Amino acid sequence: MCNVMLDVKGLSEYLNISVSLVRKLVRNGDLPHNRLGVKILFSKMEIDRWLLDHQINNN
């Protein structure tokens, strides 16, 4: 399986949140990410796993 990498803008669109919120979550160490120089990249598989681990039970 091929792992898709997303940049900050791509992740904000994927999660339907603002770019500034993505950057804040990265700054706080809340999102799994990788740095390539100044570029921040996200593994879609890791983000999906992170989302499953951080689900909020609405019941």
Side-chain angles (χ1 to χ4, degrees), residues 30-44:
D30 294 329
L31 278 177
H33 64 281
N34 299 294
R35 289 193 183 265
L36 185 61
V38 296
K39 191 167 187 132
I40 302 169
L41 298 174
F42 306 89
S43 160
K44 186 176 177 297

Side-chain angles (χ1 to χ4, degrees), residues 14-56:
Y14 179 64
L15 297 179
N16 197 29
I17 60 176
S18 68
V19 168
S20 61
L21 180 55
V22 171
R23 291 186 187 284
K24 179 180 178 181
L25 292 170
V26 167
R27 225 180 8 257
N28 293 342
D30 294 329
L31 278 177
H33 64 281
N34 299 294
R35 289 193 183 265
L36 185 61
V38 296
K39 191 167 187 132
I40 302 169
L41 298 174
F42 306 89
S43 160
K44 186 176 177 297
M45 285 186 347
E46 285 185 34
I47 293 298
D48 289 341
R49 192 174 308 123
W50 180 87
L51 287 169
L52 287 173
D53 291 344
H54 291 85
Q55 282 183 346
I56 297 174

Side-chain angles (χ1 to χ4, degrees), residues 1-23:
M1 181 180 347
C2 183
N3 187 22
V4 175
M5 298 300 285
L6 303 168
D7 62 5
V8 172
K9 183 169 176 20
L11 185 64
S12 73
E13 291 170 359
Y14 179 64
L15 297 179
N16 197 29
I17 60 176
S18 68
V19 168
S20 61
L21 180 55
V22 171
R23 291 186 187 284

